Amino acid sequence: MVINPTYLAQRTRTSVNWPDAKRRVAKSYREWLRSAPEIQQMYSLNMPVSEIRTKVRQEFERHRYVSQLPVVDMLLFQSHSEYQETLNYWKQLPHVLKYFREKENPTARLPQSFMQGFLEAYRLFPSI
C-alpha cells in the first residue's frame, strides 16, 4: 500500500464573506456524511452508519452559533485536518472512539484535578 500524504490535502484559506463560509461549511459537512460508511468499514466500528452521521451532525451543531468569520475559518481548518487524518487512517481506533465516549459510558468524565484523578485510580487499582 502506497502512502500518499497529500491525499485529501487542501490549501488553507480564509473565507471572503459569510456566504463563502456557509458554502465551505456545507461542503465539509457533506464530505463527512458521505464518508461515514467508509469510516465505519476502515475502523471496524461496531455501530450503524446512522449513528456516525448523527455524531457528525452533533459536532457541527455544537458550533452552529459562532458569529466571527476567523473562528469559522479555524473550525473549518480543524474539521478538514480531522477528516484527512481519519480517511488517511492516520488515527487509531481509540482516537475515533473518543467522539462516542459519552454515549458508550454515561459516567465517563474527567477528574476535577490531577490529585482527584490519581486517588480515584488508586482506589480502583490498589495493588499497583
Side-chain angles (χ1 to χ4, degrees):
M1 181 176 162
V2 177
I3 296 175
N4 185 1
T6 60
Y7 177 62
L8 300 171
Q10 287 181 353
R11 291 183 62 188
T12 304
R13 64 181 279 271
T14 58
S15 300
V16 178
N17 51 23
W18 278 107
D20 182 38
K22 288 180 181 180
R23 183 188 55 76
R24 291 177 62 210
V25 168
K27 180 179 181 247
S28 177
Y29 181 66
R30 283 192 302 269
E31 285 176 345
W32 275 104
L33 290 184
R34 289 179 183 149
S35 64
E38 188 177 353
I39 292 169
Q40 180 199 32
Q41 182 184 11
M42 281 173 52
Y43 291 96
S44 302
L45 298 177
N46 192 16
M47 60 186 69
V49 174
S50 61
E51 192 172 328
I52 297 169
R53 288 182 173 145
T54 301
K55 193 58 176 176
V56 167
R57 180 174 178 97
Q58 287 174 355
E59 289 295 316
F60 272 83
E61 287 285 334
R62 194 169 67 151
H63 302 292
R64 182 180 191 143
Y65 298 106
V66 173
S67 60
Q68 296 175 341
L69 204 53
V71 176
V72 172
D73 288 337
M74 185 262 316
L75 290 170
L76 279 168
F77 173 74
Q78 287 179 344
S79 171
H80 187 73
S81 65
E82 287 284 323
Y83 179 73
Q84 184 181 12
E85 290 170 6
T86 302
L87 288 187
N88 281 336
Y89 209 71
W90 293 343
K91 290 184 173 193
Q92 296 176 2
L93 184 61
H95 299 141
V96 175
L97 289 179
K98 76 176 181 179
Y99 293 105
F100 301 95
R101 183 180 302 145
E102 63 247 3
K103 184 181 182 305
E104 290 178 1
N105 185 2
T107 61
R109 60 175 175 73
L110 291 174
Q112 293 177 351
S113 67
F114 171 78
M115 189 53 87
Q116 183 182 6
F118 179 80
L119 293 174
E120 283 181 19
Y122 184 74
R123 277 188 237 121
L124 290 174
F125 305 104
S127 62
I128 293 179

